[in-house]
Amino acid sequence: MARTINERYHGSLTALITPMKKDGTLDEQAATRLIERQIQGGTTGLIPSGTTGESPTLSHEEHGRVIEHCVEVAAGRALVMAGAGSNSTHEAVGMARHAHKVGADALLVVVPYYNKPTQEGLYRHFMTVADATPLPLWLYCIPGRSVVDLTPETLGRLAKHPNIVGTKDATANLTRPIAVRREAGAEFNQLSGEDGTILSFLAAGGHGCISVTSNVVPDLCSQMHRLWQEGKVQEAIALQDRLMPLHDALFAETSPAPAKYAMSRLGLCESTLRLPMVEPTEATKKRVDAALHSLGLLD
């Protein structure tokens, strides 16, 4: 199973934004266009209802519908890794079961935020969610938002569960892939959650990236991974250099506000966010515009 996982879950995966109309309601027509654009751009996997998709502000019904819609539109042409994270284990289990019911391929479960559980609490949380469905599950470590770190040692314990097959690592610590491989094994799938460190993460043993930037430029992000996989390292580095201004601009303020603004500038969707998220400052907007212009995407 693990070898098959690494063959399937690699390259550029996209942490999808959730497009919304000006009145704040979900915009499924825009979502359909964005998913089609991702598939045409060569994206390997789609992650709906994750934190980039503003999952904390979605109702349970909306959360489930975003995943169901993504599965329907993707129609097997790209993998769907459903966001199933919550700081309530009971809620996470319910989200996981719903994702399985509507046909998602995998689950992405974030470290519970705010609660600050111990490592033993994290272990029991993830084991409980993993027991709830037969879907492969990725553990999402992002201490900047969850406060608590999921240590490599705990990852190693969790990797013994047959359904826990990988991690999304957003620590930006480039020794992590090495430490995780030591604890969880070389076949444990490792996906970066930091756009700016993709090539370094791959060089340290990673398999791909769950990207925010690929919302905006799915073709360029997937191309960079293909170049790396083909051994065209210098070409991959050159493309990384071209993408860095956009990576930096999209994280100049809390994501996904800059990403939604960028996509609105390209005419892909509205820039609408739900409170407490707000639109980027004018300084950040100018930064995003400059990055888009540098890639030839704006006149």
Side-chain angles (χ1 to χ4, degrees):
M1 181 179 178
R3 187 169 66 88
T4 302
I5 288 292
N6 287 336
E7 289 173 350
R8 298 181 71 203
Y9 293 85
H10 67 276
S12 183
L13 299 89
T14 300
L16 293 169
I17 66 151
T18 300
M20 299 172 184
K21 299 175 184 178
K22 289 183 178 180
D23 63 2
T25 59
L26 302 185
D27 189 342
E28 286 197 4
Q29 289 186 337
T32 297
R33 293 193 299 270
L34 295 181
I35 291 166
E36 291 290 351
R37 185 170 179 263
Q38 289 293 320
I39 294 169
Q40 292 167 13
T43 298
T44 303
L46 305 168
I47 295 86
S49 293
T51 46
T52 301
E54 298 174 76
S55 58
T57 66
L58 300 180
S59 69
H60 288 180
E61 292 76 17
E62 288 172 328
H63 187 285
R65 178 55 192 160
V66 168
I67 293 169
E68 185 176 11
H69 176 260
C70 186
V71 171
E72 292 169 355
V73 177
R77 294 174 294 161
L79 297 162
V80 176
M81 181 187 291
S86 173
N87 61 346
S88 161
T89 304
H90 177 75
E91 286 189 1
V93 166
M95 291 173 180
R97 287 175 174 160
H98 177 269
H100 178 234
K101 178 182 177 181
V102 300
D105 299 288
L107 302 170
L108 179 66
V109 183
V110 70
V111 166
Y113 39 87
Y114 188 80
N115 296 342
K116 295 180 70 175
T118 64
Q119 293 300 303
E120 182 61 25
L122 293 178
Y123 175 79
R124 296 187 193 183
H125 172 81
F126 287 119
M127 291 290 282
T128 300
V129 181
D131 284 340
T133 82
L135 293 180
L137 184 152
W138 272 254
L139 310 166
Y140 180 13
C141 182
I142 182 167
R145 290 194 186 234
S146 65
V147 181
V148 176
D149 186 15
L150 180 63
T151 67
E153 292 76 16
T154 303
L155 275 166
R157 289 181 67 198
L158 289 163
K160 293 179 174 64
H161 193 295
N163 293 344
I164 297 178
V165 300
T167 183
K168 174 185 176 183
D169 187 279
T171 65
N173 179 351
L174 292 174
T175 66
R176 286 280 290 213
I178 302 167
V180 170
R181 187 167 60 252
R182 184 173 61 243
E183 297 291 339
E187 294 181 334
F188 193 70
N189 188 264
Q190 296 196 59
L191 302 173
S192 171
E194 293 282 347
D195 279 289
T197 65
I198 292 172
L199 294 186
S200 301
F201 189 90
L202 295 175
H207 300 94
C209 178
I210 296 178
S211 170
V212 172
T213 301
S214 59
N215 278 284
V216 184
V217 284
D219 53 344
L220 295 180
C221 289
S222 61
Q223 180 186 353
M224 186 175 69
H225 283 274
R226 285 197 304 272
L227 290 169
W228 177 267
Q229 291 158 7
E230 292 168 1
K232 299 176 181 177
V233 175
Q234 292 306 314
E235 292 178 49
I237 291 173
L239 183 49
Q240 172 186 252
D241 291 346
R242 287 183 61 209
L243 287 170
M244 279 307 300
L246 183 58
H247 293 330
D248 291 341
L250 295 184
F251 289 94
E253 292 184 33
T254 305
S255 181
K260 277 196 162 181
Y261 169 74
M263 296 171 78
S264 73
R265 292 288 283 140
L266 298 178
L268 298 170
C269 64
E270 299 289 343
S271 61
T272 308
L273 300 136
R274 285 185 179 173
L275 288 171
M277 302 298 294
V278 296
E279 67 177 15
T281 63
E282 290 303 315
T284 295
K285 289 179 179 179
K286 289 179 181 178
R287 225 173 139 179
V288 171
D289 286 349
L292 296 174
H293 180 75
S294 73
L295 291 170
L297 299 175
L298 284 183
D299 295 332

